[in-house]
Structures are given as C-alpha cells and as structure tokens.
Amino acid sequence: MTRNALTLLAVLAVAACSPGEPNPPTEPAEPIETADAAPPPPAPPPGLGPSLPGGGPRNFVGRWAADVSWCSNKTGAERPIEITTTRFEGYENSCAIAAIQQVSDGYEADLTCMAEGAVANERVRLAVTGQTLRLTWLNRDNAVVDLTKCTTLEDTPAG
C-alpha cells in the first residue's frame, strides 16, 4: 500500500469511530470496552447493606438463650431473648431495631430500648455461626455474650 492509502484508511477509521450526533440524555451511549477497563462493581445482593426494619438479614431471628435449659422458660430472668427483624426482646427490656447493616463478621444493629421506664440507645453486633449467636454490645466496652438458638424462624412470632 502507498503512504496515501494508509493515511486515507486511518482517516476513515477515525471517522467511523466518531459519533455523528450526541446521544440524547434519555439514551445513554453504550460503555466503551477496552482490555484495561475494569468491570463495574457488582450490585449488592438484596437485603445487604443498610436496610429498614422488617427487611434484610434473618439468620439472627429466633429465640436465643445463654443456657439451653432456659429455652422452655416463658418468664423470669432465665428465659431466652427473642429477636425478630424489628424487635429485640429480653428480660426487663424491650428494643426496637432502628437500623441494621451487614459488616464483615455479621450485622450491626441500632436499638432503641425501654428498660425500667428509661429509654436507651444501644448498638450491637450479631454474628451467627451454626446454632450460636455471638452478641457484642458495642457501646458497653464490646462485652460479648454467646447464646444458643432455641427455635427456628418458623417457630418465632413475626415482629
């Protein structure tokens, strides 16, 4: 090929790549794919990230006790706590789950609690492994309590 022919081919190739008219805002252009372009990050699965009460993660839902022998108790200090997607009910306290977010080792929840006539805000981490819930009280010097699951989700009343 002659030099003029190569120049003409280069000009035609560039002209073919140039848009004739810009895309209207309602019709965005297709993404340009190059070998070094990184794929966009995947969208988070449903229920992950910040969520409103009543949705999101459910592996912590159920009745949990510090001692498995407490699972059948309905009243008193030695009874299970009950956790739904909207409530966290324990002995002498009742909490609404105001917000919940997934973290690397479980979920962190903001609780608004009523205990002995006083309102308190609590922050907890809920990490489930098998039949054990590790409950970490983030605003109580990271105090940890391991609880055993008493029931399944189907056995726990909806909150």
Side-chain angles (χ1 to χ4, degrees):
M1 275 193 181
T2 66
R3 182 176 228 189
N4 287 341
L6 288 173
T7 305
L8 179 61
L9 283 174
V11 169
L12 289 174
V14 170
C17 294
S18 300
E21 292 182 33
N23 290 345
T26 57
E27 296 177 26
E30 293 294 318
I32 298 172
E33 294 186 25
T34 62
D36 59 349
L48 300 183
S51 63
L52 298 174
R58 299 172 71 88
N59 69 339
F60 55 81
V61 171
R63 297 174 68 241
W64 303 86
D67 184 317
V68 74
S69 68
W70 299 357
C71 286
S72 61
N73 298 343
K74 302 288 185 206
T75 60
E78 294 178 347
R79 70 175 182 95
I81 63 169
E82 295 181 11
I83 304 174
T84 69
T85 56
T86 59
R87 305 291 306 163
F88 188 102
E89 303 289 336
Y91 177 67
E92 294 185 343
N93 66 9
S94 178
C95 305
I97 298 176
I100 191 158
Q101 183 172 8
Q102 184 176 19
V103 294
S104 63
D105 61 345
Y107 302 94
E108 289 185 1
D110 296 329
L111 307 177
T112 302
C113 302
M114 177 67 78
E116 300 178 2
V119 175
N121 293 315
E122 298 280 357
R123 199 148 158 71
V124 296
R125 181 174 301 125
L126 307 150
V128 176
T129 304
Q131 295 297 308
T132 302
L133 168 65
R134 173 157 285 187
L135 182 61
T136 305
W137 295 93
L138 300 174
N139 55 341
R140 295 185 189 178
D141 296 323
N142 291 324
V144 174
V145 178
D146 285 332
L147 304 169
T148 302
K149 189 162 192 154
C150 296
T151 63
T152 64
L153 174 63
E154 292 76 28
D155 296 333
T156 303

